[in-house]
Amino acid sequence: MRAAEKIIEGLTQLMEGFIELQGKIEGDFDSDNEGLDEEDSDLKIEVDAALVTEIRATLEAVMDAEDYSADEIANLISVTQDALEEIDPDVFEDVEEDAVEEAADDDDDDYYVDDDGDDDFDFDYDEDEDDEE
């Protein structure tokens, strides 16, 4: 079997398994949270976190069983991402825009906290200088 045929077969199985896993996890969360909209961002975050946990476990199992390194798997993912961007240049655009929006939202919540743990500004000046005036 040629390398390309192995990759096609493997990616097909990977996608089928991922879609099945995603459906199972979404089903588990939907049954736990009756009445939530599909657009519920908190639910999506929980589903994504559960997917990450499951994928992490499968990656670790493959790395242990087949003696692949994290670098080798990362290289596959990187090359796959580059190939997807060639097929559809906008494929990751929504993800990047969401990340930028979330970062902007996070910045709105930031405020100054100095070294002593409070949020008051500490001005460096000598109080004696004020008394001399």
Side-chain angles (χ1 to χ4, degrees):
M1 182 184 286
R2 290 186 10 236
E5 291 171 346
K6 286 181 180 179
I7 293 171
I8 290 169
E9 184 179 319
L11 282 175
T12 300
Q13 289 181 351
L14 175 65
M15 287 305 301
E16 289 171 356
F18 180 78
I19 290 168
E20 184 179 325
L21 176 64
Q22 187 176 29
K24 181 186 178 310
I25 289 172
E26 287 173 353
D28 290 347
F29 277 95
D30 284 344
S31 66
D32 291 344
N33 300 301
E34 293 293 328
L36 290 176
D37 295 332
E38 285 185 29
E39 299 298 320
D40 185 12
S41 64
D42 291 337
L43 179 62
K44 180 161 178 24
I45 290 169
E46 290 182 41
V47 167
D48 288 348
L51 275 168
V52 168
T53 300
E54 290 297 322
I55 295 299
R56 176 183 173 207
T58 59
L59 283 170
E60 288 175 338
V62 168
M63 289 167 60
D64 290 343
E66 302 298 327
D67 200 30
Y68 290 118
S69 70
D71 289 339
E72 291 169 316
I73 293 174
N75 187 41
L76 166 68
I77 293 169
S78 178
V79 169
T80 303
Q81 179 177 350
D82 292 346
L84 275 172
E85 287 176 335
E86 285 183 16
I87 294 168
D88 182 359
D90 299 330
V91 71
F92 296 107
E93 191 170 296
D94 290 339
V95 174
E96 291 171 0
E97 287 175 4
D98 290 346
V100 169
E101 288 174 13
E102 288 176 17
D105 289 344
D106 290 345
D107 288 344
D108 293 343
D109 297 336
D110 291 344
Y111 60 92
Y112 175 78
V113 177
D114 61 4
D115 293 335
D116 59 3
D118 63 21
D119 56 354
D120 297 326
F121 287 101
D122 292 330
F123 297 99
D124 285 335
Y125 66 91
D126 189 72
E127 290 181 15
D128 294 335
E129 289 178 14
D130 288 341
D131 293 338
E132 291 176 8
E133 293 177 8

